[in-house]
Amino acid sequence: MDTSIIAQIAYLVSAILFVSGIKQLSSPATARSGNVRASVAMLLAIVVTLLDNRILDWTTVAASVIAGAVVGGVLARKIEMTAMPQLVAVFNGFGGGASAAVAAAEFVRLEGSGPGLGTGVTIVLSTLIGAVTFSGSLIAFGKLQGIVTGKPVTFPLQKILNALLFLGVLWVGALLAHAGMGTAAPSWFAPIHTDMNHAFFLALVAGALILGVLLVIPIGGADMPVVVSLLNSYSGLAAAATGFVLGNMMLIIAGSLVGAAGLILTQLMCKAMNRSLGNVAFGAFGTDGPALAAKTGERPVRDVDAEQAAMVLAYAGSVAVVPGYGLAVAQAQHELKKVCDLLEERGVRVRFGVHPVAGRMPGHMNVLLAEADVSYDKLLDLDDINAEFDTTDVVLIVGANDVVNPAAHDPDSVIAGMPILDVDRARTVIVMKRSLSPGFAGIDNDLFYMENTLMFFGDARQQMSELVKEVREA
């Protein structure tokens, strides 16, 4: 059988594994096997590509695979859950950068041969999207890591400058794409000489890199998870464009899957915050400062210690736990699991309410709780847990803020219309938090001052350890 036919069959098998793997990623219970399937699909695609193109230098290939596996394994084990969004941002950047590099190599290889308008367009698109993804992802990493300020960075005429730069990049790309036909440019195009191709291509890369930076710096740190998701989609689109450049079906399929999944996830996250993508990209929302929270702490609150909180929890009939980013920062998930186990031993019904944008990235809380062996069937989504709050005795909030802020029901609030966990409907609410400081939205939380709310101040891990002791002795 012709080796090219075998390669196409292998690519088809890889595509099926990719699709089924992504499908399994939709549930925490099957996510690991989904990752395995997707990894096998990629390995099969790589091996088939090497064989089909007669790249038989297995020493180099094996060394590259081993080096990548070692680096990936170390990162996976060393990076804490709180830094996972940064790692995803870096991966997105590397994916976009790799696509741009492959497109650049193909540009150099085909230069002067007149590869055609179609190939020229795909090279330009792969380079443009890949370079924007690379530089934008580095800025997103910097904002999440604290290297770059999390506040929106704006300056006069910024949007006009971005628009002009984008149009300029498109113009250079159009010239390069047309030059790929090996024919003279029409009169309405500025002439481009073959000797200037390299200069124009470097201008395309430089402009795309600057554009990526300018597109991300005006976005606040609170919206970085959405930006990371969008950049993930960009990396997939860049890979798909590179697939067209190389004529590789598998790369087109894989890139399209990543691009589509990233766009869908971005839309879901925007819906969960009641924000449009345009508002995220251009709204300069979510600051690190307390400017919008000037009244924080001026109203009285009811605070409790570990013993008092334990008594409320131990004698409840039902408890709902709402985890937030503070749980991840404190790494208190294992102590929380101990508290829940002790409560269940006393006959208390315990379940968890997880908001779609809790933490710093989608699924952050689910993975964190799975790490502590919390059963998947106890994790309820927004609608399911909201339906139960009216009959819930106690809600224990660990490090969450904006996702439980009743201000979302106020049409004049900056988070108006945002779907939240309506914890205030429960009989008693215990909020475990370091202070009364605002969340990413930068506004005070009315929940903290309600009559049925008890504030349990302190480090979540330390306080949870005290809570374990007190619940055991209750």
Side-chain angles (χ1 to χ4, degrees):
M1 185 181 292
D2 190 348
T3 56
S4 62
I5 297 178
I6 296 176
Q8 296 305 315
I9 294 175
Y11 284 152
L12 180 60
V13 173
S14 294
I16 294 172
L17 289 174
F18 269 125
V19 173
S20 61
I22 289 179
K23 173 63 177 177
Q24 288 188 311
L25 291 177
S26 63
S27 170
T30 57
R32 289 188 178 182
S33 58
N35 262 327
V36 172
R37 286 194 185 188
S39 299
V40 171
M42 181 56 72
L43 177 62
L44 176 61
I46 291 173
V47 171
V48 169
T49 300
L50 293 174
L51 292 175
D52 187 43
N53 291 276
R54 292 176 172 78
I55 303 174
L56 302 178
D57 185 4
W58 292 103
T59 303
T60 303
V61 174
S64 301
V65 170
I66 292 173
V70 170
V71 173
V74 171
L75 285 175
R77 290 187 173 276
K78 294 294 185 181
I79 297 295
E80 296 183 358
M81 275 300 301
T82 50
M84 199 57 64
Q86 290 94 304
L87 183 61
V88 174
V90 170
F91 283 163
N92 290 341
F94 285 167
S99 296
V102 171
E106 197 68 4
F107 170 79
V108 173
R109 187 179 73 85
L110 297 176
E111 187 180 14
S113 63
L117 181 61
T119 300
V121 169
T122 54
I123 288 176
V124 168
L125 287 177
S126 181
T127 304
L128 171 60
I129 301 173
V132 167
T133 304
F134 178 73
S135 59
S137 295
L138 291 184
I139 296 299
F141 165 79
K143 282 179 173 281
L144 289 167
Q145 190 67 19
I147 300 174
V148 180
T149 177
K151 297 180 180 180
V153 178
T154 59
F155 52 85
L157 304 178
Q158 186 172 27
K159 294 178 182 178
I160 295 177
L161 175 62
N162 288 352
L164 291 176
L165 179 60
F166 180 63
L167 291 175
V169 169
L170 287 182
W171 181 259
V172 172
L175 291 174
L176 287 170
H178 189 274
M181 296 182 65
T183 58
S187 58
W188 46 275
F189 260 141
I192 176 171
H193 193 273
T194 304
D195 294 340
M196 298 176 62
N197 277 354
H198 285 178
F200 273 81
F201 191 82
L202 290 176
L204 172 68
V205 173
L209 290 173
I210 296 172
L211 186 62
V213 173
L214 293 179
L215 287 175
V216 177
I217 58 171
I219 303 176
D223 287 326
M224 277 303 108
V226 182
V227 175
V228 170
S229 176
L230 185 61
L231 289 170
N232 180 48
S233 176
Y234 287 174
S235 69
L237 295 176
T242 304
F244 282 106
V245 172
L246 301 177
N248 187 289
M249 181 183 72
M250 190 63 252
L251 198 54
I252 296 172
I253 293 174
S256 299
L257 285 172
V258 173
L263 283 175
I264 292 172
L265 180 59
T266 301
Q267 289 181 330
L268 290 175
M269 294 178 69
C270 288
K271 182 180 179 181
M273 298 187 299
N274 195 39
R275 309 262 307 285
S276 67
L277 183 57
N279 182 261
V280 170
F282 306 111
F285 175 86
T287 66
D288 292 337
L292 298 178
K295 296 183 179 179
T296 296
E298 290 185 1
R299 290 179 283 175
V301 298
R302 300 168 61 200
D303 62 302
V304 293
D305 57 19
E307 181 180 2
Q308 294 169 321
M311 292 296 291
V312 174
L313 291 167
Y315 291 97
S318 59
V319 171
V321 180
V322 177
Y325 184 60
L327 176 69
V329 172
Q331 288 291 291
Q333 64 270 26
H334 296 286
E335 297 301 313
L336 174 60
K337 176 64 163 54
K338 293 178 183 178
V339 171
C340 294
D341 288 343
L342 289 172
L343 292 176
E344 289 181 327
E345 289 176 7
R346 298 177 62 93
V348 180
R349 179 174 178 244
V350 179
R351 64 264 196 234
F352 293 76
V354 181
H355 193 279
V357 294
R360 300 296 292 274
M361 61 186 297
H364 198 171
M365 292 298 103
N366 301 70
V367 175
L368 200 71
L369 295 173
E371 189 179 55
D373 294 325
V374 174
S375 178
Y376 298 130
D377 57 11
K378 294 179 183 178
L379 307 183
L380 304 184
D381 61 20
L382 185 67
D383 294 332
D384 291 336
I385 195 67
N386 272 344
E388 297 192 11
F389 281 136
D390 286 327
T391 57
T392 298
D393 292 326
V394 182
V395 173
L396 176 62
I397 300 172
V398 188
N401 199 331
D402 292 332
V403 297
V404 296
N405 193 340
H409 300 307
D410 179 0
D412 296 325
S413 172
V414 296
I415 61 170
M418 173 181 171
I420 63 167
L421 295 159
D422 295 314
V423 297
D424 56 299
R425 301 206 314 256
R427 183 176 302 172
T428 303
V429 179
I430 299 177
V431 180
M432 184 176 289
K433 203 171 181 290
R434 287 180 178 272
S435 67
L436 293 171
S437 60
F440 280 128
I443 61 174
D444 206 0
N445 193 334
D446 292 335
L447 176 70
F448 300 162
Y449 312 100
M450 291 184 171
E451 292 184 359
N452 62 333
T453 299
L454 304 174
M455 299 299 300
F456 186 16
F457 293 114
D459 176 78
R461 187 170 185 174
Q462 180 180 346
Q463 297 294 67
M464 200 68 74
S465 297
E466 290 292 323
L467 202 55
V468 170
K469 176 183 176 182
E470 296 297 340
V471 172
R472 184 178 288 121
E473 296 178 354

